[in-house]
């Protein structure tokens, strides 16, 4: 069941992203509609009608902020999932390379011991060739391991920087929200 969900995860992501974009665009349309309706100077507008328009504009703005923030958070969440997935793949590759390097090293040691035990010229030549192949394989796997470790460190740093950026944006959002609450409460105090 889990494999069925993960195989269609990208489709689910796209569908959910499409829904959020549609909600965001609809919220923008509503805000423009009600802002335009309030900007028209109509002398026949009663106080009840004006209050109703202000209420609808407030709801449209609220929906715009909610949809925009949900879209932003969904994109951040998706990026974090991709980074975690890449990091898990790199860790698995690194572990496989390490095991392969260890088995190649054990094979090289075995070949070296076999070389000491053999006195036959043909056996020595064959063992030397296998030893060189094993050493070449070890060097190749060590390079691959070093590359995988470098990629893993890069992914960790990128993940940490993304986390720091998210925390910074969250703090900035909190400050802006406090400023907005401070500004909205000031006119009430003056009255």
């Amino acid at each position: 069941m889990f494999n069925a969900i993960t195989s269609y995860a990208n489709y689910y992501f796209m569908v959910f992203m499409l829904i959020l974009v549609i909600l965001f665009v609809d919220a923008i349309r509503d805000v423009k509609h009600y802002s335009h309706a309030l900007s028209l100077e109509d002398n026949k507008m009663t106080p009840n009608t004006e209050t109703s328009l202000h209420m609808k504009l407030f709801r449209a703005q609220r929906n715009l902020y909610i949809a925009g923030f949900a879209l932003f958070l969904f994109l951040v969440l998706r990026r974090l999932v991709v980074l975690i997935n890449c990091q898990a793949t790199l860790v698995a590759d690194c572990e496989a390379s390490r095991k392969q390097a260890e088995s190649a090293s054990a094979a090289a040691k075995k070949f070296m011991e076999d070389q000491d035990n053999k006195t036959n010229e043909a056996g020595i030549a064959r063992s030397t060739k296998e030893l060189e192949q094993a050493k070449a394989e070890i060097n190749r796997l060590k390079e691959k391991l070093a590359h995988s470790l470098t990629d893993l460190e890069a992914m960790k740093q990128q993940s940490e920087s993304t986390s720091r950026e998210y925390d910074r944006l969250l703090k900035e959002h909190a400050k802006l929200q406090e400023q907005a609450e401070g500004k909205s409460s000031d006119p009430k105090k003056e009255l």
Side-chain angles (χ1 to χ4, degrees):
M1 182 174 157
F2 183 72
N3 289 336
I5 292 172
T6 57
S7 65
Y8 293 109
N10 199 30
Y11 295 120
Y12 296 145
F13 167 74
M14 289 299 175
V15 168
F16 194 67
M17 179 64 72
L18 182 66
I19 291 169
L20 284 176
V21 168
I22 290 170
L23 289 174
F24 187 69
V25 169
D26 183 54
I28 290 173
R29 185 190 57 84
D30 282 346
V31 168
K32 284 184 179 180
H33 173 74
Y34 292 122
S35 295
H36 180 69
L38 280 175
S39 66
L40 294 177
E41 293 186 19
D42 190 7
N43 293 335
K44 295 179 181 179
M45 191 180 293
T46 63
N48 288 336
T49 308
E50 186 178 352
T51 304
S52 174
L53 281 175
H54 279 290
M55 182 178 64
K56 289 178 182 179
L57 177 63
F58 173 76
R59 286 180 183 160
Q61 288 172 343
R62 178 199 62 195
N63 291 343
L64 174 71
Y65 292 135
I66 290 172
F69 195 65
L71 186 62
F72 172 73
L73 286 180
F74 191 71
L75 289 172
V76 169
L77 182 65
R78 174 65 177 179
R79 181 66 181 150
L80 285 176
V81 167
V82 168
L83 288 176
I84 289 170
N85 190 15
C86 288
Q87 184 179 6
T89 304
L90 285 176
V91 167
D93 287 345
C94 178
E95 201 59 39
S97 298
R98 184 176 292 141
K99 287 181 181 179
Q100 233 177 0
E102 288 173 357
S103 66
S105 176
K109 286 181 183 179
K110 181 181 176 185
F111 288 135
M112 289 173 64
E113 289 173 1
D114 288 346
Q115 183 183 11
D116 291 340
N117 294 336
K118 293 183 180 180
T119 55
N120 189 346
E121 288 290 328
I124 291 174
R126 186 173 37 103
S127 296
T128 304
K129 184 179 176 183
E130 291 174 353
L131 179 62
E132 289 173 1
Q133 289 174 349
K135 285 182 181 179
E137 180 71 16
I138 288 173
N139 289 336
R140 186 185 64 80
L141 290 175
K142 283 183 180 178
E143 290 174 4
K144 188 176 179 181
L145 176 64
H147 182 68
S148 294
L149 289 174
T150 304
D151 288 344
L152 177 63
E153 284 297 319
M155 292 300 277
K156 283 183 182 178
Q157 290 174 354
Q158 190 177 11
S159 175
E160 290 171 358
S161 67
T162 302
S163 177
R164 284 192 303 270
E165 182 64 20
Y166 177 74
D167 290 339
R168 185 189 67 77
L169 287 173
L170 193 58
K171 288 178 184 176
E172 185 177 320
H173 179 263
K175 286 180 185 177
L176 290 174
Q177 215 172 18
E178 289 176 4
Q179 288 176 357
E181 289 174 3
K183 287 181 181 177
S184 66
S185 63
D186 289 341
K188 292 178 183 177
K189 290 180 181 177
E190 292 176 4
L191 292 177

